[in-house]
Amino acid sequence: GIQVEQSPPDLILQEGANSTLRCNFSDSVNNLQWFHQNPWGQLINLFYIPSGTKQNGRLSATTVATERYSLLYISSSQTTDSGVYFCAVGNSGGSNYKLTFGKGTLLTVNP
Amino acid sequence: EAQVTQNPRYLITVTGKKLTVTCSQNMNHEYMSWYRQDPGLGLRQIYYSMNVEVTDKGDVPEGYKVSRKEKRNFPLILESPSPNQTSLYFCASSPAGQWFQPQHFGDGTRLSIL
């Protein structure tokens, strides 16, 4: 199956700092999503981005499918950005609709 | 309100006692899926369903069963739970014709099997 690696595993920031999270994957994909798991355990979808660039407020994401990686940018971080960020990928070729998650990046934003 | 509802939210039980975790969505989604989350391992897909009566294995299906008799419901069944199934479980749904679209997650079920 597809392998997903996220880096860094842990990241500590001061409020207001910017950060970049990376997701590498081992095969071609037609589904790539970024999720945020808040400290209460809720999973929120941030982006569906199998290719290209998207922005939503202070967050943006870029996927370079040909080079098999995706980046999540967080600008002017806030304490509410703390939590775990997951990348998930899938390829529906062969009618396989599995989604594979990376192990996540634990982000801590200090006031 | 659009939501995915899991029950129970917390359960402590003993080895071998059959249990069912229910999942229901009110968005008329075709695609539903179960994941387990363990420390250091991220989320791993257990089973998914593309529509009623259509289910398929994810990456870690051993020890679990699912059924999809109605579009809105996708229960996860542990016939003979064991301690290695202690975990945090999530159900998710999305429109199947748009599998590529964001998945909506339930709030999770924390299972402890003694």
Side-chain angles (χ1 to χ4, degrees), chain A residues 13-56:
Chain A
L13 301 174
Q14 287 299 122
E15 203 167 22
N18 302 327
S19 62
T20 301
L21 282 58
R22 187 176 179 102
C23 172
N24 291 334
F25 43 95
S26 62
D27 207 343
S28 61
V29 300
N30 57 7
N31 189 339
L32 189 148
Q33 302 184 35
W34 282 97
F35 295 88
H36 175 220
Q37 186 171 37
N38 64 26
W40 296 271
Q42 294 174 314
L43 280 158
I44 306 298
N45 189 283
L46 299 174
F47 294 103
Y48 161 72
I49 186 165
S51 63
T53 298
K54 288 186 177 180
Q55 180 156 8
N56 184 1

Side-chain angles (χ1 to χ4, degrees), chain A residues 52-66:
Chain A
T53 298
K54 288 186 177 180
Q55 180 156 8
N56 184 1
R58 296 180 297 103
L59 273 59
S60 64
T62 294
T63 297
V64 183
T66 52

Side-chain angles (χ1 to χ4, degrees), chain A residues 37 48 97-99 101 103, chain B residues 31 37 40 45 48 59 100:
Chain A
Q37 186 171 37
Y48 161 72
Y97 293 92
K98 291 196 299 185
L99 268 182
F101 281 70
K103 295 181 180 180
Chain B
Y31 184 91
Q37 183 176 17
Q45 194 170 37
Y48 65 89
D59 289 321
F100 312 117

Side-chain angles (χ1 to χ4, degrees), chain A residues 4-6 21-25 34 68-70 87 89:
Chain A
V4 182
E5 286 190 16
Q6 292 186 241
L21 282 58
R22 187 176 179 102
C23 172
N24 291 334
F25 43 95
W34 282 97
R68 299 181 182 170
Y69 73 88
S70 182
C87 166
V89 304

Side-chain angles (χ1 to χ4, degrees), chain B residues 82-93:
Chain B
S82 62
N84 64 12
Q85 293 176 297
T86 293
S87 188
L88 177 59
Y89 292 85
F90 288 98
C91 180
S93 74

Side-chain angles (χ1 to χ4, degrees), chain B residues 15-73:
Chain B
T15 299
K17 185 177 181 181
K18 179 179 178 180
L19 68 91
T20 299
V21 185
T22 64
C23 174
S24 180
Q25 49 93 5
N26 63 359
M27 294 167 280
N28 202 36
H29 287 167
E30 290 86 1
Y31 184 91
M32 297 185 74
S33 182
W34 277 103
Y35 301 87
R36 62 178 288 174
Q37 183 176 17
D38 302 290
L41 296 178
L43 280 86
R44 293 178 292 168
Q45 194 170 37
I46 303 171
Y47 271 96
Y48 65 89
S49 169
M50 292 298 288
N51 213 327
V52 175
E53 303 292 1
V54 180
T55 62
D56 209 343
K57 296 177 181 178
D59 289 321
V60 289
E62 296 78 16
Y64 304 94
K65 284 178 57 177
V66 292
S67 68
R68 188 89 181 275
K69 294 182 168 47
E70 303 169 283
K71 195 174 192 179
R72 64 181 291 126
N73 296 322

